[in-house]
Amino acid sequence: MGSLRRYVLRRLGLALLTLCGVVIVVFIITRILPGNPAAVRVGPYAKPELLAQIEKEMGLDKPLPVQFVNYVAKLARGDMGKSWRTGQPVQRDLGQRLPATLELALAATLIAIVVGLVLGILAALFHNSWFDQVVRIFTIFGASTALFWLALVFIFVFYYRLGWAASPLGRLTVGIEPPARITGMFVVDSLLTGNTVAFKDALHHLALPAFTLAFVVSAPITKIVRAGMLDQLNADYIRTAKTIGVPMGEILWRDALRNAMIPILTTIGIVFGYLMAGNVLVEMIFAWPGIGSYAWMALLNKDFEAIQGFVLLIAAMYVLLNLAIDLLYSVVDPRIRLG
Amino acid sequence: MVSETIAKPKGAQPSVRDSRAWRTWYILRSHPSMIVGIFLLAVILFVTVAGPSLVPYKPLKTDPENRLLPPSALHPMGTDAFGRDILSRVVHGARLDLFIAFSVVAIALGIGVAVGMFSGYYGGKVDDVVMRITDVILAFPSFILALAITAILGNSIPNVIIAIAIAYIPYFVRLTRGEVLSAKERDYTEAARCVGNPNWRIIYLHLLPNCLTPALVQATLCLGWAILDASGLAFLGLGIRPPTPEWGVLVSEGSRDIIGGQWWTSFFPGAVIVLTAFAFNLIGDSLRDVTSPTEAVQ
């Protein structure tokens, strides 16, 4: 297992290097680029003394290298600074809101996996049929859809017109108590505590934003499932299995899908990372109290430490997720680390 | 490449069949989605160029008596909360959105291809550093990176363009570098070197034309992404601000009317965003099929 260990170490080293780069970039973006966070915060009519005091409070009066060292030292202690909008440490704000984002991202990923598998497999089975063409158009359309527009269309159709969806205002109807906090994900927590009222309501509120996101991200999953299944279905061993009379269902699920799994898993990982990061728009529209809407509020209020913390968290999650996928690969498929 | 695999029809003149136009037509004919994409794009470009002088209303002219009118013959896309004609605003916004998209891609393509060529050709330490930098930029989801940069730089059209372009550069660096890595080992590069071509000449005359295709395909796709990203930023209130008739701004302004049942104020501008991105993606997707048949799924 020497090569596996070497591969893992190398991959870990690269991820660590990327993380360091991420910290530097986040620092550069917020400190070196023109624009004075302190001036933005006190507003244009503040007295110079107040500005100086705020600058001192934020550590902006020191030279840049010192600021950077301080920043890294604080980060190392898990301190992302303080949001002046909420008055709380940024890491606490983000921690409180992360489960909401996670819940939405997981729900959307699950829906997208189901849609992607069904459409992708059917499109591969009926290769070049009209159904295949429709699926192809759907995948291109999904990649072209503006999330914010789709969210509005869904709200109009499913909430305003049909009345199927819950109001696009957060995770629960006003007046319904959130379930006792275990994971922070309302659907899971209410199920664990047997709170059926909260469970139904939470699921009802989750559905529309989750389907909005799933519509867009099921496109890449469908595409990769179709491509992988086409590859496998044309392979010799599948033809052999067919000839000796293995039932088609068994061939599909046990052989073809399993062998096509690696690129599919990667895509699912990428999609999940995108959903954790990319749903500022959807969270804002549905007033979903996750990290995306937190970032949006921070942007509106020029709350720089909060934005900084959000961007850093997202990038770190991205890097770690990619690392996890790569490592998972090398365990699943020994050919990869030999390459 | 495509035409070689297909039997030539009987009776046609060889000279016609081998011509460039015929080959182009042949490729187009077997990719109907590319024809649809080109047609859509042609319509959008026509409207962008000629539209502002064809629409009957001024994009900023308010008309309080005709607020929130549903689509009709007079106002095909209805009017907004200030009585402004949505169609006129959408048509006027086209120039801005397409200008942003093309500027973003021009910058990202130019810088990305140049860096990728040098990085791949010279290799070594420079290449390592460039790769680590692209790693770091790719660690940020492109929309979030563009969002953060715009938030810090401030709201202006050039800042939006710069922010999105920075997020897209690594894709072009990676693609071009990969191409150069294999092309520089090919015989034609070796031959060019043997007859005494200086490095810049090899890069510019021999490698560039042979390595540009994937980047150009990516550029087509990026045009669609750029429109989605720029309008998404504007929807959040970043970059382009009201009352500028930009598509994302229009959707954002119209989003308040949804709950009142006035769907048209946000639906039409958003549909145009999606349609434009769809056109670019249709073309880009088909181009990828045509240019890299080995990678493409049949």
Side-chain angles (χ1 to χ4, degrees):
Chain A
M1 291 304 267
S3 71
L4 178 61
R5 176 182 284 179
R6 222 180 16 248
Y7 174 82
V8 170
L9 283 178
R10 206 181 90 85
R11 195 61 193 76
L12 276 174
L14 272 182
L16 208 63
L17 206 62
T18 310
L19 273 181
C20 293
V22 163
V23 172
I24 295 173
V25 167
V26 170
F27 179 79
I28 290 175
I29 288 179
T30 44
R31 303 287 168 91
I32 298 178
L33 289 177
N36 181 345
V40 174
R41 186 162 139 186
V42 294
Y45 307 114
K47 287 182 191 148
E49 300 91 76
L50 181 64
L51 179 63
Q53 189 200 329
I54 297 284
E55 273 186 349
K56 201 169 172 188
E57 243 172 58
M58 295 171 78
L60 296 173
D61 54 335
K62 302 196 178 66
L64 276 178
V66 179
Q67 283 187 39
F68 182 68
V69 172
N70 287 343
Y71 176 61
V72 173
K74 272 172 73 179
L75 270 187
R77 277 180 272 128
D79 181 358
M80 287 177 159
K82 196 169 159 188
S83 156
W84 69 277
R85 187 177 65 85
T86 63
Q88 286 206 78
V90 173
Q91 68 273 14
R92 200 157 108 202
D93 277 346
L94 289 173
Q96 275 171 355
R97 289 168 155 266
L98 200 57
T101 300
L102 188 66
E103 183 174 41
L104 187 52
L106 281 176
T109 311
L110 280 179
I111 299 170
I113 290 174
V114 173
V115 173
L117 282 179
V118 171
L119 290 185
I121 292 176
L122 286 178
L125 274 180
F126 303 105
H127 181 38
N128 280 340
S129 66
W130 64 268
F131 181 79
D132 191 22
Q133 295 301 326
V134 170
V135 168
R136 174 154 189 255
I137 297 296
F138 166 74
T139 58
I140 299 177
F141 188 76
S144 320
T145 299
L147 266 174
F148 54 97
W149 175 73
L150 189 70
L152 294 173
V153 171
F154 276 11
I155 287 175
F156 180 76
V157 174
F158 295 109
Y159 170 64
Y160 182 80
R161 269 288 154 84
L162 299 173
W164 293 351
S167 62
L169 294 167
R171 305 169 77 186
L172 287 173
T173 308
V174 178
I176 291 188
E177 283 287 310
R181 186 177 168 117
I182 302 168
T183 59
M185 291 184 273
F186 285 178
V187 171
V188 179
D189 289 355
S190 57
L191 202 59
L192 289 177
T193 53
N195 185 345
T196 44
V197 179
F199 176 72
K200 273 188 194 152
D201 197 58
L203 204 60
H204 199 199
H205 277 82
L206 182 62
L208 202 56
F211 273 104
T212 307
L213 289 167
F215 185 92
V216 171
V217 297
S218 54
I221 298 182
T222 307
K223 209 170 173 175
I224 206 81
V225 169
R226 176 181 173 275
M229 290 303 279
L230 271 181
D231 268 359
Q232 296 300 325
L233 289 178
N234 290 328
D236 289 342
Y237 75 93
I238 295 283
R239 204 177 45 203
T240 312
K242 270 188 208 161
T243 348
I244 60 174
V246 181
M248 200 56 199
E250 204 171 309
I251 293 179
L252 278 181
W253 290 107
R254 205 194 57 194
D255 301 323
L257 190 61
R258 191 178 289 182
N259 277 297
M261 217 55 213
I262 285 200
I264 298 176
L265 280 179
T266 323
T267 308
I268 291 173
I270 293 171
V271 157
F272 180 70
Y274 167 82
L275 287 175
M276 288 301 290
N279 65 26
V280 176
L281 290 160
V282 168
E283 284 192 3
M284 166 209 159
I285 292 171
F286 286 93
W288 194 261
I291 54 173
S293 56
Y294 179 73
W296 184 63
M297 293 300 281
L299 279 173
L300 286 189
N301 293 289
K302 306 276 176 199
D303 191 350
F304 280 92
E305 305 221 332
I307 298 172
Q308 208 174 23
F310 166 76
V311 175
L312 189 68
L313 175 71
I314 295 297
M317 280 195 314
Y318 238 52
V319 172
L320 294 179
L321 196 68
N322 277 322
L323 174 72
I325 294 170
D326 280 4
L327 293 184
L328 201 67
Y329 258 26
S330 64
V331 176
V332 174
D333 188 347
R335 281 170 301 182
I336 285 172
R337 59 178 184 272
L338 296 178
Chain B
M1 278 170 280
V2 171
S3 58
E4 281 167 10
T5 61
I6 295 156
K8 293 177 177 176
K10 281 175 195 165
Q13 293 293 321
S15 56
V16 174
R17 266 186 269 134
D18 293 338
S19 74
R20 207 187 179 102
W22 195 90
R23 280 176 61 110
T24 311
W25 167 237
Y26 201 102
I27 292 172
L28 277 178
R29 209 175 51 174
S30 52
H31 291 84
S33 59
M34 180 137 54
I35 300 182
V36 176
I38 291 174
F39 175 75
L40 270 178
L41 188 63
V43 172
I44 292 164
L45 287 179
F46 174 76
V47 169
T48 309
V49 175
S53 48
L54 296 180
V55 290
Y57 305 95
K58 291 263 184 306
L60 297 177
K61 189 179 157 283
T62 58
D63 182 0
E65 282 178 20
N66 290 317
R67 307 172 57 243
L68 291 171
L69 291 181
S72 64
L74 272 179
H75 301 279
M77 293 185 182
T79 60
D80 69 5
F82 297 99
R84 296 174 294 199
D85 180 52
I86 309 267
L87 175 67
S88 305
R89 288 170 67 71
V90 167
V91 167
H92 276 269
R95 287 189 184 179
L96 183 53
D97 277 277
L98 288 176
F99 170 74
I100 292 174
F102 280 103
S103 311
V104 163
V105 170
I107 295 173
L109 182 74
I111 297 178
V113 167
V115 172
M117 297 286 309
F118 282 97
S119 180
Y121 186 75
Y122 289 104
K125 287 246 165 59
V126 180
D127 186 39
D128 278 346
V129 172
V130 169
M131 280 300 102
R132 293 297 81 77
I133 293 176
T134 57
D135 271 351
V136 170
I137 300 181
L138 288 174
F140 299 90
S142 58
F143 185 71
I144 301 295
L145 186 63
L147 180 148
I149 297 176
T150 317
I152 306 295
L153 285 180
N155 294 325
S156 77
I157 294 169
N159 288 347
V160 174
I161 294 172
I162 294 169
I164 302 177
I166 291 177
Y168 289 178
I169 289 173
Y171 299 107
F172 293 101
V173 174
R174 287 273 171 105
L175 277 173
T176 313
R177 174 183 173 270
E179 286 292 303
V180 173
L181 281 184
S182 78
K184 75 174 181 182
E185 307 297 337
R186 297 281 186 81
D187 290 341
Y188 67 83
T189 314
E190 197 57 35
R193 198 175 293 127
C194 287
V195 296
N197 279 297
N199 282 333
W200 67 265
R201 219 180 128 85
I202 295 176
I203 292 177
Y204 185 67
L205 278 184
H206 299 281
L207 290 177
L208 184 62
N210 282 300
C211 299
L212 206 55
T213 311
L216 289 178
V217 173
Q218 180 68 34
T220 318
L221 296 170
C222 277
L223 284 169
W225 297 357
I227 286 184
L228 293 179
D229 280 350
S231 58
L233 288 176
F235 181 83
L236 286 175
L238 280 169
I240 302 144
R241 306 280 300 175
T244 315
E246 189 275 344
W247 293 341
V249 171
L250 295 185
V251 180
S252 162
E253 288 181 332
S255 65
R256 286 165 225 140
D257 309 325
I258 283 268
I259 297 298
Q262 287 94 7
W263 52 273
W264 55 89
T265 52
S266 55
F267 176 80
F268 287 114
V272 172
I273 296 175
V274 173
L275 208 62
T276 311
F278 187 59
F280 285 124
N281 279 331
L282 273 178
I283 299 173
D285 211 64
S286 315
L287 274 181
R288 190 159 49 193
D289 283 0
V290 174
T291 55
S292 54
T294 46
E295 279 172 43
V297 190
Q298 302 87 359

